[in-house]
Amino acid sequence: MGTPGIVPNAPCPEAADGQGSSITHFLLLPFADRRELQLWHFWLFLAISLAALLGNGLIITSTACDQHLHTPMYFFLLNLSLLDLGCISTTVPKSMANSLWHTRAISYTGCAAQVFFFAFFFSAEFSLLTIMSYDRYVAICKPLHYGSLLGSRACVHMAAAAWGAGFLTALLHTANTFSLPLCRGNAVEQFFCEIPQILKLSCSHSYLRKVGLLVLSWFLGLSCFAFIVGSYVQIFRAVLRISAEQRRHKAFSMCLPHLAVVSLFVSTGTFAYMKPSSMSFPSLDLVMSVLYSVVPPAVNPLIYSLRNQELKDAVRKLVTGCVSAAIHCLLYPGQGFHCRS
């Protein structure tokens, strides 16, 4: 692409004595070589980013401002929207800039930052989805204990635990990944800096270090997934015992959006990381990475708002109030107090 850099797959003399590499930047995988396709990719990602910003922004503002939504479910949903915005903001802007400026380069520091923040937001989001399944379990299976088990302090502690778990996971993975010597070039076969793709550039024989944290992460991930599945087994058992059709429908409406988000998150991420090596080639890896890292943050607000009348009413009230305030400010520009109210 015309960007100077270390030749991909070139041998590195530092590998022999175990020293680190002298890489100053990496080359990301472009979506296309033709200029018109690169610009198409830029506008597509811009549209997805704006949709994610609008959808998650409306959820964050509505849940924060509407007193009726100050409940544990919407508190966790607000945190989920924050994580979604962080996740898409980590990978998409740099890819858009590279397509717009016809380059592939990302600095070593920028790559490390992408690895850290993506691992942080991704891990924290899965932890939060696990907590949200517990929230749904308590609401449906133990409704009389909901206030005591999910009080405001408990919710803050659980949300902080999810963010803390993401931070610790990201710190360990980033430190482990970039402490390994890289001697197989600087071409990353992905549109952002992803841990498995960085590890492919390593010439270290410390397989325990390379695999140990990944195995630990998968173990923790499977534990969270097992907890979610167990929660929904209990939830569906309880729902099927409900005789009133209206109550059963309400219970399903509470759970289906979360279940859809979990399914999208787990299915795309699992296929991206667990597909057979025979199915691994750049174009498929690129598509799958978009499906698990870019699409969910834009789609999650739509999923949660489709079957949630309370949230739709809050968003409608917020949008109506903003439009009314804007019209009032345009018609009466001298009345600053009314514009701020």
Side-chain angles (χ1 to χ4, degrees), residues 7-336:
V7 178
N9 301 321
C12 180
E14 291 87 349
D17 56 8
Q19 299 300 315
S21 66
S22 58
I23 292 177
T24 59
H25 67 275
F26 294 91
L27 302 177
L28 300 177
L29 185 66
F31 275 82
D33 294 325
R34 295 170 54 189
R35 185 60 181 156
E36 56 270 23
L37 292 179
Q38 289 178 344
L39 293 177
W40 182 86
H41 157 250
F42 169 82
W43 289 112
L44 176 63
F45 266 29
L46 178 61
I48 294 175
S49 300
L50 292 176
L53 178 63
L54 177 62
N56 288 290
L58 285 174
I59 287 180
I60 291 170
T61 308
S62 299
T63 53
C65 297
D66 195 320
Q67 294 291 331
H68 296 94
L69 301 185
H70 289 182
T71 64
M73 181 177 74
Y74 294 108
F75 172 74
F76 293 134
L77 182 57
L78 182 149
N79 279 266
L80 182 67
S81 293
L82 289 172
L83 291 171
D84 278 337
L85 285 179
C87 190
I88 198 170
S89 299
T90 299
T91 58
V92 169
K94 181 58 179 176
S95 180
M96 291 170 56
N98 281 1
S99 292
L100 185 62
W101 299 112
H102 195 57
T103 182
R104 296 175 55 189
I106 182 172
S107 67
Y108 187 93
T109 304
C111 187
Q114 272 198 345
V115 167
F116 175 82
F117 283 109
F118 185 76
F120 170 43
F121 291 120
F122 195 82
S123 302
E125 182 160 339
F126 196 31
S127 300
L128 189 68
L129 288 172
T130 305
I131 293 171
M132 292 173 76
S133 70
Y134 174 72
D135 169 66
R136 296 299 84 207
Y137 164 75
V138 176
I140 293 175
C141 299
K142 298 183 178 181
L144 298 179
H145 301 282
Y146 189 78
S148 58
L149 292 176
L150 287 165
S152 58
R153 180 172 297 182
C155 290
V156 170
H157 288 169
M158 285 189 284
W163 287 81
F167 178 83
L168 182 60
T169 300
L171 188 64
L172 292 174
H173 275 298
T174 306
N176 178 70
T177 301
F178 287 93
S179 64
L180 297 172
L182 306 177
C183 67
R184 296 177 180 173
N186 66 341
V188 179
E189 295 297 321
Q190 190 54 273
F191 79 95
F192 67 98
C193 288
E194 190 181 37
I195 291 176
Q197 300 299 331
I198 300 295
L199 291 178
K200 288 181 180 180
L201 305 179
S202 171
C203 51
S204 172
H205 296 289
S206 302
Y207 294 107
L208 184 60
R209 286 182 60 193
K210 294 170 66 175
V211 177
L213 277 178
L214 293 177
V215 172
L216 176 62
S217 297
W218 276 109
F219 174 76
L220 295 176
L222 288 174
S223 299
C224 290
F225 181 70
F227 184 89
I228 293 173
V229 171
S231 298
Y232 273 101
V233 168
Q234 297 299 320
I235 287 171
F236 287 135
R237 284 180 177 176
V239 170
L240 292 176
R241 288 197 295 266
I242 297 175
S243 56
E245 185 68 24
Q246 187 175 2
R247 289 180 57 202
R248 183 185 300 179
H249 177 75
K250 182 178 180 181
F252 274 122
S253 296
M254 292 169 62
C255 295
L256 288 180
H258 176 260
L259 194 58
V261 170
V262 171
S263 300
L264 178 64
F265 186 88
V266 172
S267 60
T268 55
T270 301
F271 185 78
Y273 285 101
M274 297 292 288
K275 65 181 180 298
S277 56
S278 59
M279 295 179 61
S280 182
F281 47 93
S283 59
L284 179 61
D285 293 344
L286 205 59
V287 171
M288 292 308 304
S289 64
V290 171
L291 287 179
Y292 83 85
S293 64
V294 178
V295 173
V299 173
N300 286 350
L302 181 63
I303 294 175
Y304 270 103
S305 61
L306 279 178
R307 299 178 63 90
N308 192 319
Q309 191 60 44
E310 285 183 329
L311 185 58
K312 286 192 288 189
D313 291 341
V315 171
R316 189 181 300 112
K317 186 191 303 182
L318 175 67
V319 173
T320 303
C322 290
V323 172
S324 299
I327 293 174
H328 188 87
C329 288
L330 290 174
L331 294 177
Y332 307 101
Q335 301 180 12

